[in-house]
Amino acid sequence: MTLAPCEISWFSALCDDDYEFLGVPDARLKSSWEHCRDIVLQAETGGFDNILLPSGYALGIDTTAFAAGIAPMLRRLALLMAVRVGESWPPQLARQIATIDRMLGGRLKVNIISSDMPGETLASAPRYARTVEAMHILKTLLNGEPLDHQGEFWRLKLDPPRIGTLSGKAPQLYFGGLSEDAREAAAKGCDVYLMWPDKREAVEAIIADMRARAAKYGRTLRFGYRCHMIVRETEDEARAYAQRLLSKLDAAQGAAIRAKSLDATSAGVAAQAALREGADADGYAEANLWTGIGRARSGCGAAIVGDPDQVVAKLNDYRAMGIDAFILSGYPHAAEADLVARHVLPRIDHGLL
């Protein structure tokens, strides 16, 4: 079977999420301009296509400001900038996106997060309805079209901003979520639907469901897979490193880290917990898929663990299911980016979506 090229992205730990030992804070790896910049530059040097810049209101540093700062330093790498819809005024966000896209030479992509406004708690259905409105507003303005939007959350009649993206089109919108409301929002508005790790049969089922939902709206989606990585020259070395990551984790500290996240009660987090609870005694949910990361992290909580042959085979298996893009990460992020760049990237046909 001939596989289409896929996009392979790395991850810069803007949200206080970098460790040598999971759950043990390390001043050297704390989110800062310098540390996160170095991860991005490592990813560009290593040959990754793109890098996710995550966003958390209570954690780390500001994503949009960081993206603007790093953009002129890059020559090839794309940025996948996470934006929290609840904290944004869409017309202003459109101008920020267009400006940063031009600073980056047209290589900006946007990860939409269906967040609350800081200090508010909005029920799931209206929060995702607001996200659908935001995606529509952003796409209209960034496609250079006038906007006449009379929605539940915004009522706007605007000309497009004078500064548009380099292509004149809206960047690709990446978006994820497992709840019914999240899936419908994705089907209506995003371009790349992101998933967290799960067993093969679950991944296939989600892809089939999302294709059917998008088709109801006359749309098609591409699919992304967000996962951690541990690749070493032998499987034994990789599995030993996985255990080392957890060797200083206090269970109570791990629970506190998970609870601090704003998505700690989401359907996606619940699915990651179920995956972890169904794993074997060593934490493996299926061959080479290790759930130990989730013991000290909310959100994406599993890693592909193995030697280069096993890791490449696993990624190619996902590609055969319909995954078009991977957002990978590892601990510590700069060091693991180098290992993935050397052991994995040369063996996979990849490039920007």
Side-chain angles (χ1 to χ4, degrees):
M1 178 181 181
T2 301
L3 298 171
C6 62
E7 179 177 279
I8 302 183
S9 305
W10 197 248
F11 175 94
S12 185
L14 272 66
C15 297
D16 296 333
D17 180 41
D18 205 0
Y19 299 99
E20 182 177 356
F21 297 97
L22 286 174
V24 180
D26 187 331
R28 298 170 304 141
L29 303 176
K30 188 175 182 180
S31 292
S32 65
W33 158 253
E34 293 82 5
H35 179 57
C36 296
R37 173 202 63 198
D38 290 349
I39 296 172
V40 174
L41 296 179
Q42 177 71 52
E44 172 152 277
T45 300
F48 289 90
D49 304 310
N50 192 5
I51 189 161
L52 173 60
L53 307 179
S55 178
Y57 173 73
L59 301 170
I61 59 180
D62 183 76
T63 305
T64 305
F66 180 89
I70 199 77
M73 303 175 69
L74 303 175
R75 296 294 173 263
R76 185 192 52 78
L77 192 70
L79 296 180
L80 177 54
M81 182 177 77
V83 298
R84 305 179 65 81
V85 166
E87 298 167 31
S88 303
W89 181 251
Q92 174 65 13
L93 178 58
R95 287 205 309 163
Q96 292 171 332
I97 288 169
T99 303
I100 295 171
D101 178 80
R102 286 183 171 269
M103 294 168 70
L104 196 61
R107 301 188 307 279
L108 185 67
K109 298 158 182 272
V110 178
N111 178 198
I112 297 288
I113 300 174
S114 185
S115 72
D116 284 322
M117 183 76 75
E120 77 168 14
T121 302
L122 199 60
S124 175
R127 181 163 50 81
Y128 280 106
R130 180 172 63 187
T131 300
V132 171
E133 285 193 28
M135 288 192 284
H136 168 71
I137 293 167
L138 289 174
K139 283 190 171 185
T140 301
L141 292 174
L142 289 167
N143 280 331
E145 301 165 4
L147 175 73
D148 187 354
H149 178 81
Q150 305 303 316
E152 180 182 356
F153 297 93
W154 291 288
R155 296 175 180 272
L156 301 167
K157 192 165 186 178
L158 296 168
D159 291 330
R162 183 180 68 81
I163 297 296
T165 63
L166 200 62
S167 69
K169 298 294 183 182
Q172 290 168 315
L173 301 183
Y174 293 54
F175 177 84
L178 273 185
S179 70
E180 179 69 18
D181 294 328
R183 293 185 192 216
E184 281 296 296
K188 292 175 182 176
C190 82
D191 303 300
V192 182
Y193 178 75
L194 294 176
M195 288 175 276
W196 285 337
D198 212 325
K199 292 183 178 179
R200 178 192 176 95
E201 57 269 24
V203 174
E204 290 179 320
I206 293 167
I207 290 173
D209 176 64
M210 291 307 303
R211 280 179 172 155
R213 287 176 189 261
K216 289 189 310 182
Y217 301 105
R219 306 185 68 243
T220 58
L221 295 173
R222 305 190 80 170
F223 294 93
Y225 195 77
R226 166 88 182 92
C227 196
H228 303 285
M229 300 286 281
I230 300 175
V231 60
R232 297 295 183 273
E233 291 187 1
T234 69
E235 182 181 13
D236 285 346
E237 288 177 274
R239 290 174 72 106
Y241 187 80
Q243 293 307 312
R244 180 183 183 275
L245 274 178
L246 289 179
S247 62
K248 297 185 180 182
L249 178 67
D250 175 83
Q253 174 69 7
I257 291 170
R258 296 196 302 274
K260 186 166 34 172
S261 173
L262 293 175
D263 66 359
T265 60
S266 74
V269 169
Q272 293 295 284
L275 184 70
R276 190 165 63 251
E277 289 159 8
D280 66 19
D282 293 324
Y284 288 83
E286 64 183 14
N288 305 109
L289 186 64
W290 180 63
T291 63
I293 299 283
R295 289 175 56 187
R297 188 186 197 279
S298 184
C300 175
I304 298 171
V305 177
D307 65 35
D309 288 341
Q310 292 170 319
V311 170
V312 169
K314 191 81 170 171
L315 293 174
N316 284 339
D317 197 27
Y318 292 129
R319 292 171 69 196
M321 292 183 216
I323 298 295
D324 304 292
F326 296 96
I327 302 174
L328 307 175
S329 59
Y331 297 99
H333 291 296
E336 204 68 31
D338 178 60
L339 288 162
V340 172
R342 288 191 285 119
H343 290 303
V344 177
L345 291 188
R347 300 177 56 181
I348 295 182
D349 185 8
H350 65 94
L352 283 175
L353 289 185

